Structure formats: structure tokens, C-alpha cells
């Protein structure tokens, strides 16, 4: 699917979410049913060798930055098993702990982490999770990170409903004063036991949902980061290294890869990133695009950030697309299919 067609599908899903439309299918009912059967078989196959235990990483990070009168930043994670850190054994290996430690180092301030994510959760559980987060109105989070969407695909939740719940969660958190960063639906097409052509269908469904999530989140004042790296090409190339023992949830190194893709956006949302980094870099194909086009571009490339820019334009709202994730030496910058580069708005 080209970037332009993915943008059209994402627009339809996001519009349906905003205006109460019905479920727009990600694929035909028969193929979705086949995909679900395959994924469930795969999960039974990979389920051996791991437990449902999730380490509790809540607490204070960067204590050496404690100083009289210094208040800690408050970081909260919401979402599914990806946000919770299922699949690793130590609290310090979870994405929450990695993000809290990294944020403390950049801000040179202590960070208090709270994680309300639930393994197996779908986007409709975000209503409950947000209520937990906002129960203490005296101390709302400074920044919330949401990772959700994979279970929506595998459990056939209509994408319009999925995006509607996510958009509502972002709106409530933003209204409470929190910055919000959403790691969009990871690429399910690289779960190792799933075979072709279902791998392709899973990838297509994941990317369609990720693009629609981006539109919904940006419209509510949040930022998104593509989590394709979580189960994407880099993981596919190193499955033994970057997947955990169950070959379904990431390993410690896999979570570190995902967390480091999200951290720059968390820092930017809090105004902690260098000012020069906030300007689009045309050599990295960064710039302003209609939000649906930016969402489709981001869904194709892991680590890509999308945030609101101009209120509107000839093709609707605009967004700034950033590629903050630095690639390793010798790793080529990808050129998304159907893209001739990002153009800046006039």
C-alpha cells in the first residue's frame, strides 16, 4: 500500500472515530478471521518460556539530582503489555524505567514514574487507566506516554472505535495539563511464527491503525512516535537478539531500542530538547505535511515523530514530521515507497 492510499484510509478511520462512524474494516472479514486464527496459534506457540509477571518499576529516578526546592518531573505510562514491560525480568529493563532514567539525565531533575498499563489491554481500557491517572487532581503528570494498539488489531476492534478511545484519552490528559506522547501500533507483521501471506496482512492492518492513531492524537494536541522498531524491520533482522524468550514480547534490548526512539519526543514535549533540533532538517526529509500524509509517512518508518503544526491548510490540518531517532553508523536512511521526500509548507 502506498503512502497516499494509507493516508486516505487513515483519514476515513479518523473521521469515523471523530464523528461516531461505524467500524471501517482493516481487511476483509475472511482474511481477518484467518489472520486472527494464525496469530492465536502463534501466541500459543510462543507463550511457552515466559510468564505473565511484569516487574514493578514505579518509583523515583535520578535521586542524585535531588536538591532543596527542586520538584520532580512526573512521568506516567499507560497502555498494554508493551508499556507495562511484559517479557523482561528486572524493573530496570522496562520501558518505563528506561524512559524515567533517560528523562532524569536530560532534565537533570528527579523523575517519579507511575505505570498503570495493563498487559492485554485494548484502547477501550484507556478510559479506566486515565481515570486512575487523574484521580489525584492535585498532582497531574507532567508527561504521559501511551503505547497501545496491537491487541486492538488481534482482537478485531473496529479501528474507528480504537482511535475514538485513544483520542478521548489524549484529550482528557491534555485538558488536565499533561503533555502526551503516543507510541503508535507496532508492526505485527514480524511476529516470528506468523507466516506469509498473513504477515503482510498483519503489517497492513498495523500500519493503517498506526496512521489513524496519529491523526487522532495530533488533533487532540499530542505527539506520536512510530513504534515500527518494536516489532519492525530491525527486530525482524535480529529476532533472537531483539525479541524476548517468547518471540512475541520484546527482550530487554528490544525495549531499550523502543524507549530510546520515544525519549527524544518526550524531552521535546517538555521543552528539554535543543532549540536547533526543533527546526525541520531537510537533509533528513523532515518538514510540514498535511496531517494524514505525515501520519502515513510515519507509519512506514519507525522512530518518526508527528506533532501538530499549522491549524489548517488547503488539504486540512498540517503537522511537522521529525526523524529524531539517530541511526547507527553505516545504516542507510530509508526512502519510504511512494515518497519523494517531505516538502515544507509555504
Amino acid at each position: 500500500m502506498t503512502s497516499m492510499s494509507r493516508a486516505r484510509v487513515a483519514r476515513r478511520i479518523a473521521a469515523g472515530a471523530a464523528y461516531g462512524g461505524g467500524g471501517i474494516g482493516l481487511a476483509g472479514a475472511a482474511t481477518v478471521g484467518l489472520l486472527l486464527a494464525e496469530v492465536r496459534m502463534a501466541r500459543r506457540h510462543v507463550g511457552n518460556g515466559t510468564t505473565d509477571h511484569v516487574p514493578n518499576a514505579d518509583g523515583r529516578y535520578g535521586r542524585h539530582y535531588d536538591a532543596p526546592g527542586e520538584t520532580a518531573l512526573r512521568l506516567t505510562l499507560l497502555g498494554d503489555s508493551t508499556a507495562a514491560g511484559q517479557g523482561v525480568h528486572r524493573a530496570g529493563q522496562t520501558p518505563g524505567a528506561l524512559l524515567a532514567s533517560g528523562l532524569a539525565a536530560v532534565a537533570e531533575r528527579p523523575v517519579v514514574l507511575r505505570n498503570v498499563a495493563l498487559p492485554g489491554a485494548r484502547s477501550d481500557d484507556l478510559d479506566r487507566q486515565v481515570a486512575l491517572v487523574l484521580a489525584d487532581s492535585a498532582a497531574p503528570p507532567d508527561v504521559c506516554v501511551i503505547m497501545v494498539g496491537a491487541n486492538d488489531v488481534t482482537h478485531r476492534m473496529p479501528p474507528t472505535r480504537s482511535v475514538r478511545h485513544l483520542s478521548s484519552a489524549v484529550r482528557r490528559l491534555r485538558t488536565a495539563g499533561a503533555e502526551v506522547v503516543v507510541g503508535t501500533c507496532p508492526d505485527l507483521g514480524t511476529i516470528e511464527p506468523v507466516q506469509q501471506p498473513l504477515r503482510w496482512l498483519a503489517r497492513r492492518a498495523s500500519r493503517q491503525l498506526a496512521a489513524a492513531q496519529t491523526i487522532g492524537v495530533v488533533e487532540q494536541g499530542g505527539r506520536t512516535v512510530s513504534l515500527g522498531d518494536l516489532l519492525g524491520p530491525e527486530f525482524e533482522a535480529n529476532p533472537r537478539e531483539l525479541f524476548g524468550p517468547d518471540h512475541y514480547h520484546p527482550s530487554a534490548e528490544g525495549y531499550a531500542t523502543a524507549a530510546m526512539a520515544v525519549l527524544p519526543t518526550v524531552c521535546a514535549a517538555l521543552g528539554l530538547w535543543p532549540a536547533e533540533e526543533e527546526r525541520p532538517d531537510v537533509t533528513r526529509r523532515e518538514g510540514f505535511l498535511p496531517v494524514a500524509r505525515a501520519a502515513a509517512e510515519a507509519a512506514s518508518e519507525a522512530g518518526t515523530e508527528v506533532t501538530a503544526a499549522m491549524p489548517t491548510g488547503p488539504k486540512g490540518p498540517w503537522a511537522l514530521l521529525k526523524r529524531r531517532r539517530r541511526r547507527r553508523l553505516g545504516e542507510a536512511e530509508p526512502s519510504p515507497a511512494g515518497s519523494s521526500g517531505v516538502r515544507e509548507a509555504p
Side-chain angles (χ1 to χ4, degrees):
M1 177 179 287
T2 67
S3 175
M4 293 302 291
S5 16
R6 189 176 297 115
R8 285 194 294 271
V9 172
R11 270 197 301 267
R12 290 206 313 272
I13 295 172
Y19 299 109
I24 299 175
L26 293 171
T31 54
V32 169
L34 190 59
L35 169 63
L36 291 174
E38 179 93 4
V39 168
R40 284 167 184 155
M41 287 177 64
R43 294 188 71 170
R44 281 198 297 271
H45 171 72
V46 302
N48 299 322
T50 191
T51 69
D52 292 333
H53 170 71
V54 178
N56 182 0
D58 287 7
R60 194 178 187 90
Y61 291 76
R63 290 181 180 273
H64 49 288
Y65 294 117
D66 278 322
E70 183 73 89
T71 58
L73 288 169
R74 294 177 295 276
L75 166 67
T76 300
L77 263 71
L78 307 87
D80 55 22
S81 58
T82 303
Q86 186 173 1
V88 295
H89 301 293
R90 295 196 296 275
Q93 298 172 326
T94 62
L98 295 166
L99 287 171
S101 299
L103 180 57
V106 173
E108 297 186 341
R109 287 174 61 182
V111 173
V112 174
L113 170 68
R114 184 185 182 196
N115 197 324
V116 299
L118 179 69
R122 286 165 273 180
S123 293
D124 55 3
D125 191 56
L126 290 175
D127 297 342
R128 180 191 65 82
Q129 294 183 28
V130 170
L132 286 175
V133 172
L134 299 182
D136 183 3
S137 57
D142 292 292
V143 60
C144 294
V145 174
I146 303 174
M147 298 180 183
V148 76
N151 296 315
D152 297 23
V153 174
T154 60
H155 288 78
R156 245 191 307 189
M157 176 181 286
T160 49
R161 182 181 169 203
S162 174
V163 173
R164 189 179 306 130
H165 282 292
L166 177 58
S167 299
S168 173
V170 174
R171 181 172 59 251
R172 290 169 64 192
L173 293 169
R174 292 289 291 135
T175 300
E179 298 292 339
V180 181
V181 175
V182 174
T184 54
C185 181
D187 187 346
L188 297 178
T190 50
I191 298 174
E192 211 175 22
V194 178
Q195 303 301 314
Q196 294 287 16
L198 298 180
R199 277 177 172 283
W200 179 85
L201 290 170
R203 170 166 289 138
R204 180 186 178 198
S206 303
R207 290 185 175 183
Q208 285 180 1
L209 179 57
Q213 286 177 319
T214 295
I215 295 174
V217 169
V218 168
E219 287 179 345
Q220 298 303 326
R223 301 180 185 223
T224 63
V225 179
S226 168
L227 283 187
D229 263 1
L230 188 59
L231 298 171
E234 186 172 358
F235 284 58
E236 187 175 32
N238 303 285
R240 295 292 182 261
E241 180 183 355
L242 290 171
F243 277 115
D246 61 359
H247 303 300
Y248 188 83
H249 293 99
S251 66
E253 187 166 348
Y255 276 128
T257 301
M260 291 309 101
V262 173
L263 179 61
T265 300
V266 170
C267 294
L270 293 171
L272 299 171
W273 219 233
E276 59 270 20
E277 286 282 340
E278 296 309 296
R279 293 190 290 271
D281 182 347
V282 293
T283 66
R284 291 169 57 80
R285 297 175 295 109
E286 298 178 345
F288 298 96
L289 285 171
V291 65
R293 175 76 182 280
E297 294 267 353
S300 301
E301 184 179 340
T304 305
E305 173 192 319
V306 180
T307 187
M310 305 173 193
T312 189
K315 296 184 179 180
W318 285 69
L320 172 61
L321 184 141
K322 295 280 292 177
R323 292 177 168 87
R324 297 185 187 275
R325 186 173 76 91
R326 298 302 179 189
R327 298 186 174 275
R328 294 188 296 269
L329 186 64
E331 184 181 358
E333 291 280 359
S335 179
S339 170
S340 57
V342 176
R343 58 189 175 89
E344 294 199 25

